[in-house]
Structures are given as structure tokens and as C-alpha cells.
Amino acid sequence: MNNEIKESIASTIKSLDKELREISLKIHDDPELGNKEFHAYKLLTEYIKSKGFEVSHKIAGLETAFMAKYSNNKSGRRVGFVCEYDSLVGVGHACGHNIITVQGLACSLALKTLMEQGLVQGTVVLFGTPAEETTSGKINIVKEGILQDNVDYAMMLHPFAQDGIYSRMLALDSADIEFFGKASHAGMAPWNGINAVDALMQGFDNIGLLRQQILPTDRVHGIITNGGAAANVIPAYASAHFYARSVTKDQLKDLKPRVDNCFKAAALATGCEIKIQWGKLGPVEDVFMNDALALNYKHYMEKEGITYRSRIDEEQTSTGSTDMGNFSYAVPSIHPAYGIHTTAANHTKEFAAAARTLVAHQDTLRAAKCLSMTAAEVMVNDDLYKQVVDDFKKGKPQ
């Protein structure tokens, strides 16, 4: 790739520094939960429209989802970038979605400038994807074919405590579990009752025992959402919300029935009826990293002085889950991690504070520059694009 493209990307992102920092702080200081990100949605759609993008509002039936597009050649290659902007209950932007927004904007605008200058030919698309932490808006975008119809490959960055390419992002599905028993006076005639909370607690115990026999990379964890209303009444109803995670979506399919059986056995033992409903939209899939894209991005980050552990070491690390995994099984994709000068784990107050710092913003712009160069490289390098497609077809599970 020629120096003119690299210099244009660096210059564009540098020129956006101040206004992207302002957007980041506005989102960070007004944390909104999934599907309620109305302030962020308005801020981002107005901003990207002012930069000359054509904006489609409320895509995939989601009030706070959008797609912004710019093209100088509709027959050229099409790259998609991603913004996330929902927060977490109680800890705000403890996954750094305010700076995830920055990377999506920076990359999209850098590619648009290249197109305006005639240095690359194609289309750049920015997806605003709500509720990554809860109902996983990207699943809707994939299910409706919006992603596949508009881009050939997709890219985003995620802040963590350290840089990484191949750390595991686990496949995930959630289950709502309900037990139905029979109420009775807990002191006067408990033998007349069927205790739904007993069933629920037995289910928790069964899950604890199950953990001895599942893969060390599997995760099963949950909370009680209804544990009865009064201590002197045998509870007729109890409920819980659980997550199950595995390294791959195929392993997750094997794990879920075993989780079901833990709770079904508890219902049988206590005489309760049970209802188990897994995620209505479908599971969040593991991230299927495209090697050709990943290695190109890594090359540019190493030029910036970033060092990485070996791939084998990275793959031993399991992190969280993301609906970017669903994007990655629909089109060739990458989701690298980049460090933001913190030792804090994601989903903590300490990480939320780190995501607001100036150094985290600067880390984001550096990584965004490298991701933009990768995106541009795919547009101008036929051999690289062929490798991207081949890696996707060769490695994608059927």
C-alpha cells in the first residue's frame, strides 16, 4: 500500500481528534442502557450525517440502530465498521463503548476521505449497533440480511487491559428459568405446599456439580430474578436468568441441554412444573477471526511499537462474549483487543474510569489508524482480498 494512503489516514484521524474526544465524553457522561441509547443515537446520526454519509435510521426494527453509508464506486469493495454505545447497569461505560464509538467513527471517516481523494474505490458503511450487553442488536442486523447485503467484510476494535488478536470471545446464550409450585402457610401447613424456591436452589446446586464435568473453557452463571415474596409463605413461583458460554457455538449446543437437565431434575425432585426459555433471538456466536485481516492489522500495530503474545498463548485466554461474533460468521471479520493503559478488568468501575482518560482516547485513535490501513489494504490489494475470502470459506464451520 502506498504512502499517500497511509499519510491520508493518519492526517484524517489526527484532524478528528478533538471532536471525537468530545463525542466520547458526552457518551461516557450520559450512560444509557441497551435499546434506550437515545442521546447517543441522536448524537452519532447527526454527526455522521454532517460528514456527508447517507443515514438509514432504526434499522432491523431497532429504535437506536442505524446504518451510515458513503460510496465513490458501488462496484468496489465494501467495508463495514461498528459503533457500540450502550452501558452497563451500575457501572456505566465499564466496557468502553464510548471509545468503541470513537474507533468506528474514526475508521469510517478515514476511509471516506480516501474515497473523496480517489485513493481507494468502494463503499464504507458504519453500523450503529445497540444493546451489545443485553439483547445483542447485531443479531437482528444479521438475521435481516442488512449486514450481508451491504458489506463484504466487517471490522471493529475493543478496549481491554492489553493488546490481543486471538483471545477467545465465547459463544453465549441466555435462559429464563421459571418454577411453578403451590403456595401454603410456611408455619401452619408447609406440607401442603410445593416450594418453587427449593426447586430453584436445587437447580443452582446441580449447576455447581455440573461444573466438575464440563470443559474448563465453559461458563455457566446466573442470578435469581424472583425468590418469593414472604418468608411465611411457601413460594409458588421462583425464577432465574442464566448465561451459558462455550469456546464455539457448536460446543454451546452441547452444553445447553446439560444445563436444562440440571433444572429439570430439580423440578422433578420437588414436584414443581418448569419452563425454560433460551434467548429468543438466538445465541451470541463466538468471534471467528479472519486470519488475513488479523495479520494485516497486527503488522500495522507492530509498526506502532505494539507487541503481542504468541497466538497459542492468546488462545488460552477467554474473555467475554460479543454479538460481533454473529457478524463474523456472516462476513469475514476481525475484533482485535487493544490496551488502554489500565490493569482493570472490563465491567468494573475502574475500567469505566480508564475508558474516560485521554490516554485511552489516544490508544483508540492509534488502533483505529491501523484498522483503517487494513481496511484500505483490502480495497487496493486483490491478493489480500482473495486471501480474506479464502480464509473465511476455508475456516468457517458448516
Side-chain angles (χ1 to χ4, degrees):
M1 189 168 67
N2 65 49
N3 286 332
E4 192 175 2
I5 290 176
K6 297 176 184 177
E7 290 168 3
S8 174
I9 289 170
S11 175
T12 299
I13 291 178
K14 183 177 180 181
S15 73
L16 295 168
D17 187 342
K18 183 178 178 181
E19 57 198 54
L20 292 181
R21 174 69 171 156
E22 290 175 355
I23 289 172
S24 172
L25 294 180
K26 286 178 181 178
I27 291 175
H28 189 281
D29 294 346
D30 184 16
E32 300 169 293
L33 299 180
N35 299 309
K36 302 293 182 183
E37 314 98 322
F38 299 113
H39 172 228
Y41 174 82
K42 184 174 187 293
L43 180 68
L44 297 176
T45 54
E46 289 180 354
Y47 177 77
I48 201 70
K49 183 177 181 181
S50 75
K51 296 295 185 179
F53 279 70
E54 178 185 342
V55 178
S56 299
H57 292 270
K58 300 181 180 181
I59 63 169
L62 302 170
E63 278 194 280
T64 53
F66 68 87
M67 179 176 67
K69 184 184 294 189
Y70 180 85
S71 180
N72 72 342
N73 184 344
K74 292 184 179 179
S75 64
R77 289 169 196 145
R78 307 168 300 169
V79 59
F81 297 108
V82 178
C83 286
E84 296 171 355
Y85 32 86
D86 60 315
S87 68
L88 289 148
V89 175
V91 286
H93 280 290
C95 213
H97 287 191
N98 60 303
I99 47 179
I100 288 178
T101 291
V102 166
Q103 60 82 37
L105 292 171
C107 292
S108 299
L109 292 168
L111 267 291
K112 175 180 180 286
T113 299
L114 292 177
M115 292 174 187
E116 290 174 327
Q117 295 170 339
L119 295 174
V120 302
Q121 299 293 313
T123 300
V124 56
V125 182
L126 177 63
F127 293 97
T129 62
E132 187 273 337
E133 300 289 359
T134 52
T135 57
S136 305
K138 294 184 193 64
I139 295 177
N140 300 59
I141 294 170
V142 171
K143 281 195 167 185
E144 294 201 9
I146 297 171
L147 176 74
Q148 305 91 306
D149 289 346
N150 287 280
V151 305
D152 300 308
Y153 57 108
M155 319 174 83
M156 71 167 283
L157 299 162
H158 200 299
F160 284 97
Q162 62 182 7
D163 295 275
I165 304 290
Y166 293 106
S167 297
R168 298 287 192 179
M169 299 296 290
L170 304 177
L172 173 151
D173 206 352
S174 62
D176 290 306
I177 300 146
E178 298 176 284
F179 289 98
F180 304 90
K182 178 182 177 183
S184 182
H185 194 295
M188 186 181 300
W191 50 84
N192 288 331
I194 299 176
N195 196 315
V197 171
D198 282 353
L200 182 60
M201 299 312 296
Q202 183 63 61
F204 268 79
D205 289 345
N206 290 346
I207 292 293
L209 294 171
L210 174 68
R211 290 192 181 102
Q212 298 178 76
Q213 276 75 48
I214 61 177
L215 294 168
T217 49
D218 286 343
R219 304 285 186 268
V220 184
H221 47 96
I223 59 169
I224 297 170
T225 52
N226 189 311
N232 62 347
V233 177
I234 299 295
Y237 178 79
S239 63
H241 185 67
F242 263 75
Y243 283 171
R245 307 183 198 236
S246 292
V247 167
T248 68
K249 60 180 184 177
D250 289 335
Q251 287 182 18
L252 181 61
K253 289 177 183 177
D254 294 334
L255 177 62
K256 284 165 58 177
R258 301 177 72 185
V259 172
D260 284 348
N261 287 338
C262 287
F263 290 105
K264 289 177 180 178
L268 179 64
T270 56
C272 287
E273 299 295 323
I274 185 172
K275 178 181 178 182
I276 302 174
Q277 184 172 26
W278 288 93
K280 296 176 182 177
L281 292 175
V284 170
E285 297 176 340
D286 52 293
V287 174
F288 171 37
M289 290 286 284
N290 185 276
D291 277 338
L293 291 175
L295 291 173
N296 193 272
Y297 167 79
K298 181 183 178 184
H299 164 76
Y300 286 117
M301 285 291 278
E302 288 175 337
K303 291 283 188 181
E304 295 288 327
I306 301 300
T307 59
Y308 293 92
R309 294 177 294 157
S310 71
R311 179 168 182 169
I312 293 174
D313 285 346
E314 280 197 29
E315 288 181 340
Q316 303 308 307
T317 303
S318 295
T319 56
S321 304
T322 172
D323 54 7
M324 187 64 185
N326 297 72
F327 270 30
S328 76
Y329 278 98
V331 299
S333 302
I334 55 171
H335 181 272
Y338 68 98
I340 59 168
H341 286 82
T342 183
T343 58
N346 295 62
H347 291 207
T348 63
K349 290 183 178 180
E350 292 79 11
F351 195 89
R356 197 186 190 281
T357 62
L358 180 58
V359 68
H361 174 74
Q362 292 168 340
D363 291 333
T364 301
L365 294 185
R366 176 180 60 191
K369 179 176 71 173
C370 296
L371 196 70
S372 300
M373 289 181 181
T374 297
E377 182 85 35
V378 175
M379 286 191 165
V380 300
N381 186 329
D382 292 341
D383 290 338
L384 177 59
Y385 180 64
K386 181 179 184 302
Q387 188 62 53
V388 167
V389 174
D390 288 347
D391 284 352
F392 182 70
K393 291 178 178 178
K394 177 178 62 180
K396 183 178 178 181
Q398 300 302 314

